Amino acid sequence: MSAVDTFERIIRHQSVHQLVPVLLALDKKEQLAVRAKTKALRKELTEVRQLGSSTWGRTGTESQLAMLFLAGVATYTRKEAMGLDEPLGMHWEEGNIRVVNQESFFVVAEHARPNWFGEWFERRSRGGPWGLPEYELLREMEARQLIDYEPALFSRTLAHSLHLKSFHRRRENKPVPNYAEKLLLDFEASAATIQRDLLGFFDYDTTVDSTQAYTGIAQQHVAWLDVLLHLSTAGHVDRTELLTRSLVALRRDFRRPLLTWFKNLFLALQPTREECLAQQAELVELLAHTQPQVVNFALEQLKPFWTDAAFDPDPLLLYAEGLINRQDLKTAQRTLLGGFEKLLKRTPALAPELGRLAAAALASADAAVQAKAAKLVVSLLQAKKPLLSADETADLVGSLADYTDLLTAGARQLLAPWLAPASAPLAALGTNYVPVTGFVPDLSATNAVTPVADWHELLFLTGQVLRHDSALELERWMDGLLRLQPQFAADYAQQLLPYLVQVRPFLKGKTGEQATAIIAGNGLAGHRGLVEALVLGWAQGFTTERVNKVNVRDDHDTSDPLVLVEQRRFAAAEKHLRTRSGLPLLSTPSHAPHWVAPSVLVGKLLTYEAAAVEPDPADLVVALARTAYANAADAQTALSRLAQLQRPELRELLQWLLTPGRHPLPTFQPAKTSVFKHLTARLGKLLPGNAGGATTLADAWPWLWAVAARTRQPDGVFEELTALIPADYIGVVRPWTPEWHFEVKINTWVEQWKPGKPTVTHQYPVLQFPSKYTSQTPPSPLLLYSQHARFRAMGQAGWVLPHDYRFVASLVPHNSAPLHWHVMRTAAWADGLESNERDVVQAALQELLAPGPVFTEPTTLLLAVGLMHKVPACRALALEVFLSAIATGRLEPAALGTVLGRFLANEFVPVQRLVENLQQARAIDATTDDALQQVLDYLLAELPASPLRNTKKLIELYADLAGRSGRRPLEAAKINLHSWKGTATLRKVVGELV
């Protein structure tokens, strides 16, 4: 029997005891054969297959897989070893069996001495801690010189070992009394052994912040913080070294949770006053960190020592200017300014420097920071014993003029004696903000989309398109494919190979029939899959249909329902490429970001008629939704050419869409549906979303009219369409406007692990949309403004929509209201939702930065939620949208103020969060101030008679705006202001307004 046959028999029927001697006796030739057999058996025994009528799994046992790993150690080269995707010891089981497997491993490893262990461990560790071996095993391999010492790897392995200890204990299913205490004693006994890698926790990014051992008692774990504190108390780790290393680790650019762990370790050690003073240099250096939590922590530790003679303020003042100018350090700035007051009493000679820093702090958007800075300036200027020279005083007073427009009401009141007299109210300058109605897209030459110049640019653009982050670049790329098809290089398929590997990674290194088979495979899904399908089809010369095979289901969580329209539009492009028709898509934007010039659309339609090709309905409906009908000059040019169109239905539709003015639809004759069409329509509703047949242009006229009407008049009511469309589908005859209101949710649970098992009740407001559970399915995917009303589309704001949103929004630039209602229902119905919902909101806000029509109700709701969002990045983006909307006239201040007031009145978010964000919009220019004041006028009118917490900050912001504008509050706002005047904390600030 050959060595290979013996090896296979042992793997299938025997144990590791028989395998080890065989592996040790292999010669070079036998090693090659056993290596091939090992790879074949591994593939067979690990492949998931059907084991029973309803069960699936692998056929290999733990013992077999452990033996195959040993065979890999004995025979694999570096290339094969990098394919091993299991942690060392994964299949060794527990107890005595594990001991035997481990000893067998060392016997084989010391005989074979493979050179790939170090690289393999490092590669496994990149995938997370679950790819790491046991720490003791790694140390044993180091002792046997099987691997070299790698500090980062050993420290990561030690960090994860705490979890593995309790993991193996649980697998053995043997309860250990007082496990937590015994575990700490085990670490104490091995302190000398692990100290080298224990200190490595402070140098490398490990899981020390999250790894813990389960003790067997509910909600009780042993964490590394417990271990280090125990070792420090027992004297096995130097306490001072832990304090110093914690501060040094906080300087690094670690993950936020890991930085929090180092901070907690420092605090848990409870350093004395003397120890903190000894570490003052390390604490001050933390003030340069980018993370606010690190800066706040350092200042908190320094706070007790401002007046201590042993504290040196000079290094701190070097960092102070950088702290004062940062907008993300409001807490730190308040702490710093409070410390300056104490420093001033201790060392009056610092007055000029402290005055300069206090003046710079007046640029902060936070009212509390400004108030502290103003108090410090006042104390410097009004000191009984002068602290500043005449020149220094003049410089400080002169610098106040630079910040006058930025001052809040409170700070301005404190500094009034040194400020220049107030100028005339801005209202007298005619700077009132008024929304711009009748949006006209820019169709100038400067805004025109530049076509792809040549083959080389098209090839380069392919890589950009596969990144899937620009709707306009995708449109340019598709247009370039269609227009430049005759210019493709002879070896274009070979030049496409790097991009094909991005879509099909398994293509790397493959050629011939194997590569062809991989490219021909399906398995693509979603909007990204549509793009990838065109790239793969391009590589094979568009010989087969690929786009229609992409899985784009509009009733599950794969993609947005409008992606189905994109699929049919992409399929139309693929058909043109396959037939080499040379025709462009009608819906390709001619002007940024997504506008189709009317004259360009009519010109393309004439080209289609000259080629005797019928336009694709999905392509035409998107073209209508993108047509810039409001551009009168270009619309007139298009109207003058309409007579050249041969199809009367198309002439009538475009005549209505492009004729200036708001006018009714023409009268339609009632639609007659044949029995065959009726039955096929009913059958289509039972088929998957992308299984429906393509609609012909003759069948699509009702949907084209409905989309054109809703594009031209988003809020219109079109009773005339009832003749074309039998049922009043959502968003067709009337706009889709779901109801919404607030509802308080109450969650109650019992904390079983706490003494007395207390009952906890949590209340929070949510947005409710009573009409969201609708099962009415639109009769056609071409009804762009009806798709998102369906309940089955509610699940789309998940994994894919944040990436697809920019492409979906580009289909409906005139009327994004249904899409924004969808975002509100799915991703903004409560405060503090998960990251998926945050990403959806951010994607939607990003698209609002471009010019467009005045914000409708759902868009205003979306902006309001963004301005109050729990995530700072969302609030910052929403503020940018707010300022952009004022600049372009898209903002409706009354609507936004009313919505914000309703949210605050229902305690959807804290008042302070909104005020701190809006503070940053004041004093930019007079128009912005006026728009913001209008928003606050309507916001105040919606608030309850009993003032909410931090209402004072809201009124101070309003008073600041009113003081500059000279405009008094609206009567609706005065009602609340009068009622709040009786509140002690609000009496003074309200008295200035009413």
Side-chain angles (χ1 to χ4, degrees):
M1 184 180 292
S2 69
V4 173
D5 294 335
T6 302
F7 170 74
E8 182 175 4
R9 179 170 54 81
I10 293 172
I11 294 294
R12 293 191 185 278
H13 305 293
Q14 297 181 10
S15 69
V16 70
H17 294 287
Q18 289 77 34
L19 177 65
V20 171
V22 172
L23 294 178
L24 299 181
L26 293 175
D27 59 28
K28 293 291 184 182
K29 184 176 181 181
E30 290 172 334
Q31 281 185 5
L32 294 175
V34 169
R35 179 195 307 163
K37 177 55 71 173
T38 300
K39 292 163 64 175
L41 286 173
R42 174 177 290 278
K43 182 177 180 181
E44 174 192 338
L45 296 177
T46 58
E47 186 178 15
V48 176
R49 61 186 67 189
Q50 189 168 7
L51 303 178
S53 58
S54 60
T55 58
W56 291 71
R58 63 166 194 244
T59 57
T61 64
E62 294 286 302
S63 175
Q64 288 175 325
L65 296 178
M67 288 191 288
L68 286 174
F69 184 85
L70 277 185
V73 171
T75 63
Y76 276 7
T77 63
R78 175 191 164 279
K79 180 179 179 180
E80 282 88 15
M82 293 306 111
L84 288 172
D85 57 354
E86 62 192 60
L88 179 60
M90 179 178 179
H91 302 294
W92 290 358
E93 303 184 62
E94 302 297 337
N96 294 331
I97 300 177
R98 187 172 189 84
V99 173
V100 170
N101 280 320
Q102 179 172 319
E103 188 55 39
S104 299
F105 163 74
F106 281 121
V107 170
V108 174
E110 288 190 304
H111 171 77
R113 293 279 170 183
N115 60 359
W116 45 259
F117 273 138
E119 183 181 353
W120 182 66
F121 281 133
E122 181 61 31
R123 189 185 185 99
R124 293 287 304 149
S125 69
R126 293 176 200 161
W130 296 105
L132 296 171
E134 296 176 24
Y135 177 72
E136 292 79 6
L137 186 58
L138 200 65
R139 289 297 298 260
E140 182 67 19
M141 292 181 69
E142 180 193 12
R144 296 175 185 244
Q145 298 182 351
L146 293 172
I147 58 171
D148 296 326
Y149 173 60
E150 179 60 43
L153 173 63
F154 277 70
S155 293
R156 293 190 190 111
T157 306
L158 177 60
H160 187 56
S161 69
L162 185 59
H163 173 84
L164 291 180
K165 286 180 181 295
S166 61
F167 175 73
H168 288 307
R169 183 182 64 80
R170 278 186 283 174
R171 287 188 64 180
E172 290 176 353
N173 200 23
K174 294 178 181 179
V176 180
N178 302 318
Y179 179 69
E181 292 81 359
K182 292 182 178 179
L183 184 60
L184 292 175
L185 291 175
D186 287 345
F187 275 109
E188 185 178 345
S190 61
T193 304
I194 68 174
Q195 186 170 19
R196 178 194 69 181
D197 302 316
L198 195 71
L199 296 178
F201 290 168
F202 300 90
D203 300 323
Y204 304 103
D205 189 344
T206 69
T207 58
V208 67
D209 58 306
S210 58
T211 304
Q212 54 189 12
Y214 179 58
T215 64
I217 303 174
Q219 302 300 318
Q220 292 188 17
H221 300 82
V222 174
W224 274 111
L225 193 62
D226 305 312
V227 175
L228 287 175
L229 291 177
H230 179 80
L231 294 179
S232 174
T233 304
H236 294 286
V237 179
D238 183 66
R239 170 190 173 84
T240 302
E241 185 171 20
L242 286 181
L243 289 171
T244 304
R245 284 180 175 269
S246 295
L247 295 180
V248 172
L250 281 169
R251 295 185 206 167
R252 304 179 188 274
D253 188 23
F254 282 137
R255 295 173 290 112
R256 182 183 175 88
L258 189 53
L259 292 173
T260 303
W261 187 85
F262 289 123
K263 180 189 74 172
N264 292 339
L265 174 61
F266 184 90
L267 296 176
L269 289 168
Q270 298 180 353
T272 64
R273 182 184 181 88
E274 291 72 22
E275 285 176 325
C276 285
L277 270 174
Q279 304 281 355
Q280 63 175 290
E282 288 80 4
L283 286 167
V284 169
E285 289 177 359
L286 295 181
L287 299 180
H289 205 281
T290 58
Q291 286 278 354
Q293 69 156 343
V294 176
V295 178
N296 292 334
F297 161 76
L299 286 173
E300 280 297 316
Q301 303 312 304
L302 293 171
K303 188 190 295 185
F305 311 121
W306 295 109
T307 57
D308 197 298
F311 176 66
D312 182 9
D314 292 338
L316 181 140
L317 294 177
L318 293 176
Y319 292 98
E321 187 166 2
L323 298 181
I324 288 295
N325 293 323
R326 283 176 59 176
Q327 292 297 318
D328 59 338
L329 293 177
K330 290 174 288 190
T331 302
Q333 288 165 355
R334 292 195 289 266
T335 304
L336 195 61
L337 290 166
F340 286 169
E341 295 177 1
K342 297 178 181 178
L343 274 181
L344 185 63
K345 294 177 182 178
R346 179 195 127 176
T347 313
L350 293 174
E353 178 68 11
L354 298 181
R356 186 180 64 82
L357 293 171
L362 294 173
S364 172
D366 184 70
V369 173
Q370 282 199 15
K372 276 190 171 291
K375 289 177 182 177
L376 182 56
V377 171
V378 170
S379 66
L380 288 168
L381 295 174
Q382 287 185 337
K384 293 180 180 180
K385 183 179 179 181
L387 299 172
L388 302 171
S389 67
D391 290 341
E392 290 169 344
T393 301
D395 289 342
L396 180 57
V397 173
S399 66
L400 298 181
D402 298 333
Y403 304 105
T404 301
D405 289 338
L406 302 177
L407 295 179
T408 61
R412 184 179 285 109
Q413 186 176 12
L414 288 169
L415 297 172
W418 298 277
L419 297 177
S423 57
L426 296 175
L429 303 178
T431 54
N432 292 342
Y433 170 79
V434 178
V436 176
T437 57
F439 170 70
V440 178
D442 179 12
L443 299 185
S444 64
T446 57
N447 203 39
V449 175
T450 305
V452 178
D454 52 29
W455 157 255
H456 300 289
E457 185 183 358
L458 180 65
L459 193 64
F460 171 78
L461 196 58
T462 303
Q464 305 300 306
V465 165
L466 287 175
R467 292 173 58 186
H468 202 64
D469 60 357
S470 173
L472 189 58
E473 292 303 297
L474 175 59
E475 298 286 356
R476 291 183 63 236
W477 178 76
M478 282 205 300
D479 179 68
L481 271 180
L482 292 163
R483 187 168 43 82
L484 300 175
Q485 190 176 18
Q487 302 177 26
F488 288 173
D491 62 339
Y492 75 86
Q494 186 64 30
Q495 295 188 47
L496 276 177
L497 187 58
Y499 305 111
L500 298 179
V501 172
Q502 295 183 41
V503 182
R504 292 276 195 258
F506 292 118
L507 269 174
K508 189 173 183 178
K510 305 297 191 303
T511 57
E513 294 183 1
Q514 194 175 14
T516 303
I518 293 174
I519 295 175
N522 291 317
L524 303 175
H527 194 283
R528 181 188 293 272
L530 299 177
V531 181
E532 294 172 345
L534 282 178
V535 174
L536 294 174
W538 185 13
Q540 294 188 323
F542 299 106
T543 53
T544 58
E545 290 188 6
R546 299 187 66 101
V547 172
N548 278 329
K549 296 178 182 178
V550 177
N551 183 15
V552 182
R553 297 170 295 177
D554 66 336
D555 55 350
H556 292 285
D557 62 355
T558 301
S559 55
D560 189 86
L562 286 183
V563 176
L564 182 58
V565 181
E566 280 278 72
Q567 182 179 36
R568 299 191 178 191
R569 197 167 71 96
F570 279 41
E574 185 182 45
K575 181 179 179 181
H576 290 313
L577 290 164
R578 192 170 61 255
T579 59
R580 304 183 71 85
S581 68
L583 294 172
L585 286 182
L586 300 172
S587 52
T588 300
S590 61
H591 292 75
H594 313 298
W595 304 113
V596 174
S599 59
V600 172
L601 174 60
V602 172
K604 288 182 178 179
L605 287 169
L606 291 172
T607 303
Y608 270 71
E609 288 191 345
V613 176
E614 183 179 88
D616 181 82
D619 184 24
L620 180 55
V621 78
V622 174
L624 294 173
R626 288 175 168 176
T627 297
Y629 61 83
N631 191 294
D634 198 271
Q636 189 57 47
T637 302
L639 286 169
S640 66
R641 301 181 65 190
L642 281 186
Q644 301 176 37
L645 287 174
Q646 301 173 14
R647 192 182 288 270
E649 303 95 334
L650 199 52
R651 288 201 305 269
E652 184 182 20
L653 176 60
L654 292 177
Q655 183 79 34
W656 182 88
L657 179 64
L658 301 178
T659 301
R662 200 175 177 105
H663 40 85
L665 292 175
T667 303
F668 301 107
Q669 296 298 321
K672 295 182 180 180
T673 305
S674 68
V675 174
F676 174 75
K677 287 185 178 179
H678 177 73
L679 291 175
T680 53
R682 289 178 62 87
L683 178 61
K685 294 180 180 181
L686 302 176
L687 296 174
N690 56 337
T695 307
T696 65
L697 192 60
D699 294 332
W701 287 117
W703 326 128
L704 295 174
W705 270 105
V707 170
R710 191 61 57 205
T711 298
R712 175 87 196 232
Q713 300 177 25
D715 59 345
V717 177
F718 305 102
E719 298 290 353
E720 301 89 342
L721 289 175
T722 55
L724 283 179
I725 303 173
D728 185 7
Y729 293 102
I730 297 173
V732 178
V733 174
R734 292 168 184 79
W736 176 44
T737 309
E739 301 172 358
W740 61 278
H741 66 267
F742 294 94
E743 182 178 306
V744 176
K745 294 287 186 182
I746 301 176
N747 286 343
T748 303
W749 66 92
V750 178
E751 295 186 338
Q752 299 281 355
W753 60 92
K754 289 188 177 180
K757 299 182 179 180
T759 300
V760 179
T761 300
H762 176 54
Q763 297 186 17
Y764 58 97
V766 298
L767 276 179
Q768 289 286 13
F769 296 85
S771 61
K772 69 180 180 181
Y773 297 103
T774 174
S775 59
Q776 188 179 31
T777 302
S780 170
L782 300 182
L783 287 173
L784 304 182
Y785 307 116
S786 301
Q787 303 301 318
H788 292 99
R790 300 170 52 199
F791 168 65
R792 285 189 296 172
M794 287 287 290
Q796 310 316 318
W799 304 103
V800 181
L801 186 56
H803 308 287
D804 291 350
Y805 185 89
R806 57 179 64 89
F807 302 98
V808 172
S810 73
L811 302 180
V812 287
H814 280 294
N815 181 14
S816 297
L819 185 57
H820 292 162
W821 279 123
H822 177 56
V823 170
M824 284 299 303
R825 294 186 311 164
T826 56
W829 53 271
D831 184 41
L833 297 176
E834 299 298 328
S835 58
N836 289 334
E837 286 79 4
R838 173 206 64 201
D839 293 343
V840 174
V841 171
Q842 283 185 308
L845 289 172
Q846 187 70 42
E847 295 304 306
L848 296 180
L849 291 171
V854 173
F855 289 165
T856 56
E857 181 185 5
T859 310
T860 301
L861 269 171
L862 179 61
L863 174 58
V865 167
L867 290 170
M868 301 178 294
H869 206 278
K870 188 174 183 178
V871 178
C874 279
R875 294 200 299 274
L877 180 56
L879 184 64
E880 188 177 352
V881 171
F882 176 76
L883 298 175
S884 172
I886 293 173
T888 56
R890 301 186 70 181
L891 183 72
E892 281 281 6
L896 179 60
T898 301
V899 168
L900 289 173
R902 289 184 62 185
F903 275 91
L904 293 183
N906 287 274
E907 300 184 11
F908 194 81
V909 298
V911 173
Q912 182 173 349
R913 188 193 297 173
L914 175 64
V915 175
E916 288 178 350
N917 202 26
L918 294 181
Q919 283 272 11
Q920 302 175 69
R922 63 185 180 83
I924 294 176
D925 56 52
T927 304
T928 303
D929 276 353
D930 184 71
L932 182 55
Q933 187 176 356
Q934 290 183 50
V935 170
L936 295 181
D937 271 324
Y938 290 93
L939 188 157
L940 292 173
E942 293 291 325
L943 297 184
S946 178
L948 302 168
R949 184 181 180 185
N950 288 316
T951 298
K952 181 181 179 181
K953 294 187 175 182
L954 190 61
I955 301 176
E956 284 177 343
L957 173 60
Y958 184 86
D960 176 57
L961 295 167
R964 280 203 297 273
S965 70
R967 182 163 56 80
R968 308 305 298 168
L970 293 182
E971 290 300 322
K974 284 183 179 179
I975 297 174
N976 269 337
L977 291 173
H978 280 296
S979 67
W980 295 335
K981 198 172 182 180
T983 305
T985 56
L986 302 179
R987 185 179 296 117
K988 185 176 181 180
V989 65
V990 171
E992 300 172 359
L993 294 171
V994 295

